[in-house]
Amino acid sequence: MSDISLPLELKGVHIHFVGIKGTGMAALVEILYHNGAIITGSDVSERFYTDEILEKLNLKALPFDQANITDKVQYVIYSSAYKLDKNPDLIAAVKKGIPCLLYTQALGSYSSRAYSCGICGVHGKTSTTGLTGTILKELPLAAQTLAGSIINSFGSTCTYTSPLIKSLSENQKKYFVAETCEYQKHFMSFCPQKIILTSVESDHQDFYPTYESIRDAFVDYICKLPQNGELIYCADDKGAVEAAGLAAKKRPDLVMIPYGFKAEGDFKILDCVIKDECQIFNCNLIKDLKLKVPGHHEVLDAAAALALACRMLVSDGKNPQDYEEEIRRGLLSFTGGKRRSEKIADFVTPDGNNVLVMDDYGHHPTAIKTTLEGYRQFYSKRKIIVDFMSHTYSRTQSLLDEFASSFDNADVVILHKIYASARENIADFNITGRSLFEKAQHYHKNVNYFEEIEEALPFAKELLNTNPGPEYPDGYLFVTMGAGDNWKLGKAIIKEFGEAK
């Protein structure tokens, strides 16, 4: 079914989504809805944050049932979590001969009928996509943006659609910017005109057993660019530089555009200072850029988004320097997204300690390290407690030492059991959450272990009730981090103190 594609005209086309609550799926629902498609969908009954996105569109996920596939359904889009011969909706669709597309195929099909830009990399995809879309909100481009999580500045949804899309004339470009994922080479379905590459390093060890295998997947994706296509890559990331170099050898026609502190050209970051919980930086092309989110890595992501927005303006026949104020305004209005340095609550304990609770999706050692470094700079007057839950046995085992040594900038570390992936057989591994705890003790003097998340609550409560000391006059930063479900501890702490603002 790989040659199936969506129709060029989507208005009035009935599309049924199987696994509609998935983050990417819900985002694609938004995109197709705004193109006039009629949407239905099915999923499990458990409530997810994407239910809010669907409810805004007056959509409700139905239970899986072959009766969902009525004669009115013209296309089915399904999540890779569900199989054509196992899910009742999909069995019924196949029986009726209705075209069924995987999410990645549908996204790729949609990308083929627009001037599409793919954002990829092991780290920073979602932030960079959110930053790009937030800048595009300020620019006169008919653009849609799809991120892999809820972005605050999109109006707490995963997508942004410019009002200019509705009044598009035939000779005008329609732009589409999307986060594209390397896992199982999903991004190879996408049809990019430009690509941002944020970073390349070993990850998804269940699919890419070596660094070279994941690097080569990125090279293959870059080589999907058309003649004279543009690769915007991070000059500060060794893997991105290497992948760009290999792609350039295969495709000397490609235009290579570096960004970052080590870059040359328009998107070289000249300097960066932190003042009043704001990062202020300058690039060669545009100066006096401000960012309200913490972290050196976020400045790099902002430079990538800046580069893509500027190159899109050039492709549209416009001069980026005519839109400096709009670009500055867009960057300044970005406040992150769901599970990306997300501020959950700010309260004062009965003993008078100020506590800021945050949640972050960082689940790779590099992401943990750079995120905590950013917090240390941004919140220098707060004592930092990080509660981390490692995700997947394969990643933890492959990167055990890197994980263990990634908590330097936290004052207190809390660890738990490993959050397993459904793709793994735990019996295949000789590692546990306690293995990470024991290794981390070699690097950090204050590491604590609680097998289950709820077991850490009394310890966390006692800690937050203790005076943080004169060196931390602003109180505590308590951050839950990882791709597991330890975010529940942050919620439990807020409930326990009961004074969340």
Side-chain angles (χ1 to χ4, degrees):
M1 293 199 176
S2 59
D3 56 344
I4 297 170
S5 61
L6 292 171
L8 288 172
E9 178 54 59
L10 289 162
K11 192 171 183 181
V13 176
H14 188 147
I15 303 171
H16 183 75
F17 283 75
V18 177
I20 195 170
K21 295 186 184 184
T23 303
M25 294 281 278
L28 188 58
V29 164
E30 288 185 277
I31 292 287
L32 300 187
Y33 178 90
H34 287 300
N35 279 268
I38 297 164
I39 308 288
T40 56
S42 54
D43 213 316
V44 295
S45 59
E46 184 185 349
R47 188 168 178 85
F48 293 94
Y49 71 85
T50 49
D51 278 294
E52 294 174 26
I53 296 170
L54 300 174
E55 284 160 6
K56 285 179 184 176
L57 305 177
N58 292 318
L59 297 173
K60 183 172 173 57
L62 303 164
F64 295 125
D65 191 323
Q66 60 185 17
N68 294 332
I69 308 302
T70 66
D71 291 338
K72 293 180 179 179
V73 174
Q74 294 164 272
Y75 290 84
V76 170
I77 296 172
Y78 65 102
S79 159
S80 59
Y82 301 101
K83 303 292 177 252
L84 290 169
D85 58 347
K86 297 276 190 339
N87 179 276
D89 298 48
L90 293 174
I91 290 169
V94 170
K95 200 171 181 179
K96 289 191 173 194
I98 297 169
C100 297
L101 294 89
L102 264 171
Y103 163 76
T104 48
Q105 292 172 333
L107 183 65
S109 174
Y110 186 78
S111 72
S112 68
R113 77 270 319 262
Y115 189 103
S116 294
C117 306
I119 296 176
C120 70
V122 172
H123 314 294
K125 292 186 289 289
T126 302
S127 287
T128 305
T129 308
L131 281 155
T132 304
T134 309
I135 294 171
L136 291 176
K137 282 182 75 174
E138 304 292 335
L139 298 177
L141 296 173
Q144 288 187 300
T145 307
L146 182 153
S149 185
I150 284 178
I151 303 296
N152 299 336
S153 47
F154 289 0
S156 294
T157 67
C158 300
T159 67
Y160 169 71
T161 297
S162 165
L164 297 173
I165 290 280
K166 289 180 180 174
S167 57
L168 204 62
S169 62
E170 281 187 25
N171 61 344
Q172 283 181 296
K173 281 196 182 90
K174 174 184 173 182
Y175 295 93
F176 180 49
V177 176
E179 178 176 338
T180 57
C181 182
E182 71 277 7
Y183 184 61
Q184 294 183 343
K185 297 188 178 180
H186 285 160
F187 51 23
M188 293 303 287
S189 298
F190 199 76
C191 302
Q193 301 287 323
K194 303 184 196 299
I195 286 175
I196 287 178
L197 176 59
T198 62
S199 54
V200 179
E201 64 177 293
S202 188
D203 198 12
H204 306 297
Q205 286 78 7
D206 60 323
F207 190 78
Y208 299 113
T210 63
Y211 161 73
E212 288 76 19
S213 58
I214 195 169
R215 177 202 65 196
D216 292 348
F218 282 104
V219 173
D220 289 345
Y221 181 45
I222 295 164
C223 289
K224 283 202 74 178
L225 285 166
Q227 187 77 16
N228 302 314
E230 294 179 349
L231 174 68
I232 298 164
Y233 70 95
C234 183
D236 294 30
D237 185 86
K238 186 180 173 185
V241 171
E242 186 181 359
L246 290 170
K249 285 180 184 174
K250 287 188 173 186
R251 291 282 308 280
D253 62 291
L254 295 179
V255 179
M256 299 291 176
I257 301 171
Y259 69 89
F261 291 90
K262 296 180 182 177
E264 296 301 327
D266 286 349
F267 307 107
K268 177 180 178 63
I269 302 171
L270 301 171
D271 51 36
C272 178
V273 296
I274 297 170
K275 186 179 179 184
D276 300 327
E277 296 193 355
C278 189
Q279 304 198 79
I280 305 164
F281 66 103
N282 296 294
C283 282
N284 270 334
L285 188 68
I286 300 177
K287 308 289 190 296
D288 195 31
L289 299 157
K290 295 177 182 176
L291 196 58
K292 286 180 182 173
V293 291
H296 173 90
H297 58 296
E298 292 285 6
V299 175
L300 289 171
D301 293 345
L306 168 73
L308 179 55
C310 287
R311 295 309 302 169
M312 287 170 70
L313 284 166
V314 170
S315 295
D316 210 63
K318 297 177 172 65
N319 180 358
Q321 289 178 302
D322 292 340
Y323 299 93
E324 287 190 15
E325 279 309 310
E326 288 85 349
I327 289 167
R328 288 190 189 99
R329 191 162 61 237
L331 272 185
L332 190 60
S333 64
F334 179 76
T335 57
K338 188 82 175 174
R339 305 218 63 209
R340 268 69 180 179
S341 294
E342 182 185 7
K343 292 181 180 178
I344 306 296
D346 191 350
F347 60 86
V348 178
T349 68
D351 291 343
N353 299 331
N354 189 283
V355 179
L356 173 60
V357 180
M358 294 179 76
D359 182 46
D360 190 85
Y361 189 65
H363 56 280
H364 186 284
T366 303
I368 297 163
K369 201 173 185 69
T370 55
T371 302
L372 290 176
E373 280 173 3
Y375 293 163
R376 178 58 76 201
Q377 290 176 320
F378 228 61
Y379 303 108
S380 59
K381 295 178 181 178
R382 288 184 185 269
K383 190 168 188 174
I384 299 174
I385 304 166
V386 62
D387 180 275
F388 176 70
M389 187 176 220
S390 192
H391 179 233
T392 81
Y393 280 76
S394 56
R395 182 185 286 123
T396 310
Q397 187 161 293
S398 298
L399 303 172
L400 184 62
D401 206 61
E402 290 90 337
F403 273 116
S405 59
S406 63
F407 302 107
D408 291 354
N409 283 289
D411 295 291
V412 182
V413 181
I414 303 170
L415 298 174
H416 304 283
K417 66 182 181 184
I418 295 169
Y419 189 82
S421 163
R423 304 185 300 264
E424 296 179 317
N425 180 3
I426 296 172
D428 292 341
F429 301 93
N430 57 357
I431 194 171
T432 66
R434 192 165 280 279
S435 309
L436 175 57
F437 163 63
E438 289 167 359
K439 181 69 80 169
Q441 286 180 307
H442 296 304
Y443 295 97
H444 202 287
K445 63 185 180 189
N446 196 341
V447 189
N448 307 270
Y449 186 78
F450 299 91
E451 182 80 6
E452 302 296 336
I453 298 157
E454 60 271 18
E455 291 171 5
L457 182 57
F459 173 77
K461 185 181 177 185
E462 185 180 350
L463 199 57
L464 296 174
N465 266 322
T466 306
N467 190 309
E471 68 270 44
Y472 300 117
D474 290 354
Y476 288 97
L477 169 62
F478 188 97
V479 56
T480 49
M481 188 174 278
D485 60 355
N486 57 320
W487 54 267
K488 293 175 181 175
L489 180 60
K491 297 281 189 186
I493 285 168
I494 294 161
K495 188 177 179 184
E496 195 74 20
F497 285 102
E499 292 185 30
K501 290 178 185 174

